[in-house]
Amino acid sequence: MEKLLEVNNLHVSFDTYGGEVKAVRGVDFDVHKGETLAIVGESGSGKSVTTKALMQLLPKPPARIKEGEVLFEGRDLAKLSEKQMQKIRGKDLSMIFQDPMTSLNPTMKVGNQIMEGLIKHQKMSKGEAKRRVLELLELVGIPDAESRMKQYPHQFSGGMRQRVVVAIALACNPKLLIADEPTTALDVTIQAQILELMKNIQKKTDSAIIFITHDLGVVANVADRVAVMYAGKIVEIGTVDDIFYNPQHPYTWGLLGSMPSLDSADEDLYAIQGSPPDMIAPPKGDAFAARNDYALKIDLEQEPPMFKVSDSHYAATWLLHEHAPEIEPPESVKRRMKGMARSASGNSEGDQL
Amino acid sequence: MSQESLLEISNLKQHFKTGRHSVIKAVDGLNFNIYKGETFGLVGESGCGKSTTGRTIIRLYDATEGEVYFNGENVHGKKDKSELKKFNREMQMIFQDPYASLNPRMKVEDIIAEGMDIHGLVENDKQRKEKVHDLLETVGLDQEHANRYPHEFSGGQRQRIGIARALAVDPSFIIADEPISALDVSIQAQVVNLMKQLQRDKELTYLFIAHDLSMVKYISDRIGVMYFGKMVELADADELYKNALHPYTKSLLSAIPLPDPDYERSRVRFNYDPSDHDTSEEPEFREVGPDHWVLCTTNEFEHYKKQLATV
């Protein structure tokens, strides 16, 4: 598969009165054409900052890309000027934000908001742009497009607004679409519709998607590959099957274990203790060590490198070192790794009745 | 679990006037019981009236019509101050947003102790401090946290403070209105574990309102599904997930993404179309199987019964 985006050793910091907040501390990943990469992690793990750095959307100052490169089709986006970036943003790269109410302009008609990009990037005339807007609104499933495009955002429901945001993001057929928690603010049924919509459009346009979320159910639904972030670093990356059926990092275990499955018995959930570290002074060694039930002595001293599990699967935990003791994931996580498929088939039988 | 009802809700209605002639029927005729010691889950999409139900039960809103009986006593009836106080002690609430539900200008100690002060549960300062420290420990916080202000805490910690405040007056019934929706996944598990443990230790009864169905299934004994102000289905948690009858419940269940890629690849979503219903008569809430209630017409009732019998 063709490599579309390559992020190498990206470091992003914010200069604040309290000191330098090291939000992203050396992130590497690639995105291939037509695939969906999901980035998961708690709030504050740096997943949004990473993608905003790709889009050059971070306010500078206080933000600063300290190190690293973001190669999009071979060009380093981190070194482009704002003017050059404006030519790419919204055209080759576009973004869907979390909250559809704050990402639309309340004083502009919906149709005009979608047209903006078309007129600017594709040099369309107003008439052409209007025809394209009608196409787009149909594509994202907004009925009665002709009259809807003359309405304002407040006349749309939450799900419909998010469809408008998707239409704006797709207007110029971007090669890479970044979706930052696009469904978190929506109800499950609406969420399912938006996810289906995004997948269908991806099939048609063959664009790549970076999908940020903390909902592992959504990840299992949309992703081809998954990157798990913790304290500004990717701690595990692999295909969606690698991450869900053969997770290696204790943090990934924790994330999987903290979600109840539909057949969980009356046992406690496997919760990750404590809260994420302060990124002004990240702890020495492995940042997850303090919350990790399986921490080794070396975790407190030295940061683990990325160990290779398979060609597609890497994890940063000392447990994978050849001298590390054999440690099994907690029971509840093991059951989840194996048992989900079985219980799920039982459930779908129930649904078909 | 005993089958003794702690709370009985009959024909509860909550209508809001939005103009001279328009009325929003947020809650429109609810009937259900909550048993002692159980967790009753209330689910539905935003705007279906589940939060309004919770708020009406605890009397944050006055009901438009209908009754709520708590331990056999009508909550919405006329009450003098002392009766009201007694009732307020029994019923407490945990709110959704831990950022908005704590007064930023009060210290944690005063936030937690406010209820105890009002109800005169402590005699002196020393006892007050001790109780606050106990409560902080119960919810997994440190004693030192008592002298801090809410902004010094993370979301999960704030929600723990909210729980400690609810527990301070020794209630028997707690309404939790989306208590974990604003929290991270790993923190959600911590708070849910805490709530489960407290229920065991203190024999609490919960009304758990949420839209995250997998979490509701996990924590609840029985679940009610709401749609446009009406309850469309009510059953045992397992029963509801295995043998959902109402098409709306089915569509909700089929929309939940599960953390299992294989299952996700084969999941088929079921769309709910309200016009598919039999419209020959007003639907009523009927018991289709043992403790399994569905909103349906007579025709649908027979149909559902047959469906359930073939399982």
Side-chain angles (χ1 to χ4, degrees):
Chain A
M1 250 193 293
E2 212 179 314
K3 226 180 242 181
L4 186 67
L5 178 85
E6 195 178 337
V7 178
N8 293 322
N9 196 28
L10 182 72
H11 288 254
V12 184
S13 285
F14 292 87
D15 294 310
T16 66
Y17 290 114
E20 180 194 340
V21 179
K22 302 180 188 88
V24 176
R25 306 182 298 150
V27 161
D28 304 87
F29 64 87
D30 322 311
V31 180
H32 301 278
K33 235 180 159 173
E35 78 165 349
T36 302
L37 172 76
I39 303 182
V40 291
E42 284 169 272
S43 25
S45 61
K47 49 193 198 306
S48 288
V49 174
T50 304
T51 50
K52 282 194 178 145
L54 305 185
M55 296 277 285
Q56 302 288 318
L57 279 178
L58 293 168
K60 299 177 192 175
R64 179 155 58 92
I65 295 182
K66 266 174 64 186
E67 240 187 287
E69 44 182 20
V70 179
L71 300 174
F72 179 72
E73 296 186 309
R75 277 168 99 190
D76 189 355
L77 298 182
K79 297 204 171 57
L80 293 185
S81 69
E82 177 58 25
K83 227 180 175 167
Q84 287 169 309
M85 199 59 214
Q86 275 179 2
K87 286 197 183 133
I88 297 178
R89 201 190 288 137
K91 188 174 164 223
D92 295 331
L93 279 176
S94 62
M95 193 151 181
I96 301 173
F97 296 92
Q98 173 170 1
D99 184 351
M101 195 61 232
T102 48
S103 52
L104 289 174
N105 185 341
T107 67
M108 257 173 100
K109 284 177 187 157
V110 159
N112 291 348
Q113 299 194 43
I114 306 175
M115 257 147 62
E116 246 184 342
L118 292 168
I119 291 169
K120 189 150 175 30
H121 290 299
Q122 310 214 318
K123 312 277 182 272
M124 281 187 184
S125 70
K126 263 209 158 160
E128 281 173 319
K130 211 180 142 187
R131 275 194 293 281
R132 174 85 177 124
V133 169
L134 290 177
E135 263 174 50
L136 281 164
L137 288 178
E138 212 148 282
L139 181 72
V140 298
I142 296 181
D144 201 9
E146 188 83 40
S147 61
R148 285 298 238 175
M149 67 182 285
K150 292 184 198 122
Q151 294 184 330
Y152 290 92
H154 75 265
Q155 292 166 294
F156 287 69
S157 68
M160 281 295 166
R161 267 182 229 147
Q162 198 61 308
R163 283 167 195 256
V164 173
V165 176
V166 173
I168 294 176
L170 291 172
C172 297
N173 291 323
K175 291 169 184 154
L176 176 64
L177 184 64
I178 297 175
D180 189 352
E181 311 236 9
T183 58
T184 309
L186 306 175
D187 278 319
V188 264
T189 45
I190 313 292
Q191 163 173 295
Q193 288 170 16
I194 297 282
L195 294 181
E196 269 162 36
L197 170 70
M198 285 178 68
K199 280 198 281 192
N200 284 338
I201 290 169
Q202 186 180 30
K203 258 187 226 149
K204 278 185 206 153
T205 60
D206 201 34
S207 51
I209 299 180
I210 296 181
F211 201 106
I212 302 178
T213 178
H214 60 256
D215 185 335
L216 291 167
V218 172
V219 174
N221 183 279
V222 298
D224 299 307
R225 287 194 304 138
V226 183
V228 182
M229 277 191 84
Y230 185 76
K233 291 195 161 183
I234 291 181
V235 294
E236 187 162 4
I237 186 165
T239 65
V240 66
D241 287 3
D242 289 337
I243 299 292
F244 282 91
Y245 299 131
N246 186 24
Q248 296 294 326
H249 199 284
Y251 180 62
T252 315
W253 296 347
L255 283 184
L256 287 172
S258 57
M259 276 189 82
S261 59
L262 286 182
D263 66 334
S264 304
D266 266 347
E267 61 198 31
D268 273 0
L269 294 172
Y270 175 70
I272 306 171
Q273 297 309 313
S275 45
D278 178 6
M279 297 310 289
I280 289 183
K284 198 180 154 205
D286 183 0
F288 186 55
R291 303 173 71 188
N292 186 355
D293 293 339
Y294 305 92
L296 307 171
K297 248 188 207 157
I298 189 167
D299 276 319
L300 302 171
E301 310 271 324
Q302 221 178 326
E303 250 178 277
M306 273 286 186
F307 287 96
K308 184 173 171 179
V309 184
S310 71
D311 279 339
S312 59
H313 188 187
Y314 294 83
T317 165
W318 284 115
L319 293 178
L320 290 171
H321 192 268
E322 50 183 321
H323 297 311
E326 284 284 319
I327 283 179
E328 297 266 300
E331 272 309 309
S332 56
V333 177
K334 272 207 310 212
R335 218 171 313 123
R336 147 135 314 178
M337 283 155 55
K338 291 183 301 209
M340 277 299 285
R342 224 182 313 127
S343 69
S345 64
N347 265 315
S348 58
E349 272 167 35
D351 284 348
Q352 281 153 14
L353 287 174
Chain B
M1 198 202 323
S2 69
Q3 289 287 300
E4 198 182 333
S5 292
L6 181 71
L7 201 74
E8 279 172 50
I9 289 150
S10 73
N11 195 28
L12 186 69
K13 285 185 184 171
Q14 180 66 56
H15 296 177
F16 295 109
K17 273 201 177 135
T18 52
R20 205 185 301 174
H21 298 296
S22 66
V23 171
I24 289 184
K25 297 178 176 174
V27 176
D28 201 20
L30 284 190
N31 290 293
F32 64 96
N33 292 356
I34 297 179
Y35 300 133
K36 241 176 208 160
E38 79 166 344
T39 301
F40 187 93
L42 202 54
V43 295
E45 286 173 273
S46 41
C48 72
K50 54 190 193 301
S51 286
T52 307
T53 307
R55 285 165 169 260
T56 309
I57 290 175
I58 202 170
R59 225 183 136 146
L60 281 173
Y61 301 136
D62 284 320
T64 310
E65 221 185 294
E67 283 91 36
V68 177
Y69 290 98
F70 182 78
N71 270 334
E73 231 178 291
N74 191 354
V75 173
H76 286 270
K78 258 202 175 148
K79 286 206 160 72
D80 60 35
K81 261 196 174 150
S82 66
E83 276 176 323
L84 205 63
K85 239 170 140 180
K86 197 181 97 212
F87 158 75
N88 284 344
R89 227 192 112 174
E90 289 289 318
M91 208 189 273
Q92 285 290 312
M93 191 147 179
I94 301 170
F95 294 92
Q96 171 172 10
D97 186 350
Y99 293 83
S101 60
L102 301 177
N103 186 341
R105 302 177 63 166
M106 276 166 85
K107 281 185 181 166
V108 168
E109 179 178 342
D110 298 320
I111 290 175
I112 294 177
E114 197 179 8
M116 301 195 286
D117 296 343
I118 289 169
H119 293 285
L121 301 181
V122 284
E123 277 147 22
N124 50 43
D125 250 17
K126 198 175 148 245
Q127 204 189 352
R128 185 174 186 258
K129 268 214 168 73
E130 266 171 25
K131 272 213 118 170
V132 169
H133 289 171
D134 281 350
L135 284 162
L136 283 172
E137 252 162 48
T138 319
V139 297
L141 293 171
D142 264 353
Q143 294 193 359
E144 292 98 74
H145 290 145
N147 285 319
R148 297 200 194 161
Y149 288 93
H151 73 263
E152 298 174 69
F153 295 91
S154 67
Q157 285 174 319
R158 283 184 213 213
Q159 203 54 296
R160 286 170 192 269
I161 296 171
I163 295 175
R165 169 175 65 182
L167 290 175
V169 292
D170 267 326
S172 55
F173 178 57
I174 292 184
I175 297 175
D177 187 1
E178 310 234 13
I180 52 168
S181 306
L183 307 175
D184 263 320
V185 197
S186 66
I187 311 294
Q188 284 188 355
Q190 289 177 12
V191 172
V192 166
N193 281 346
L194 171 67
M195 284 183 67
K196 276 206 140 184
Q197 183 210 327
L198 289 171
Q199 182 168 43
R200 281 195 296 267
D201 296 350
K202 298 184 185 282
E203 292 169 9
L204 294 169
T205 306
Y206 288 135
L207 173 63
F208 193 90
I209 301 170
H211 64 260
D212 177 349
L213 286 129
S214 44
M215 212 41 119
V216 172
K217 158 75 169 50
Y218 173 72
I219 197 170
S220 305
D221 300 302
R222 289 189 309 143
I223 297 176
V225 181
M226 278 184 77
Y227 182 71
F228 274 102
K230 291 207 159 79
M231 195 168 280
V232 294
E233 191 157 2
L234 168 73
D236 207 65
D238 289 319
E239 169 78 8
L240 188 79
Y241 274 74
K242 282 198 190 103
N243 305 319
L245 289 174
H246 197 277
Y248 179 70
T249 316
K250 284 188 189 174
S251 83
L252 260 192
L253 288 174
S254 73
I256 322 172
L258 291 182
D260 182 349
D262 278 340
Y263 168 73
E264 280 303 310
R265 279 174 208 128
S266 60
R267 176 161 63 91
V268 184
R269 200 157 61 79
F270 178 89
N271 275 322
Y272 176 53
D273 185 357
S275 60
D276 283 348
H277 281 294
D278 175 19
T279 48
S280 58
E281 58 180 48
E282 268 301 294
E284 268 176 54
F285 210 45
R286 296 187 164 96
E287 189 168 17
V288 179
D291 283 324
H292 190 154
W293 296 72
V294 185
L295 186 73
C296 55
T297 59
T298 349
N299 290 340
E300 286 170 334
F301 179 58
E302 294 304 322
H303 178 65
Y304 289 149
K305 256 184 157 172
K306 265 184 222 147
Q307 262 189 28
L308 209 57
T310 55
V311 177

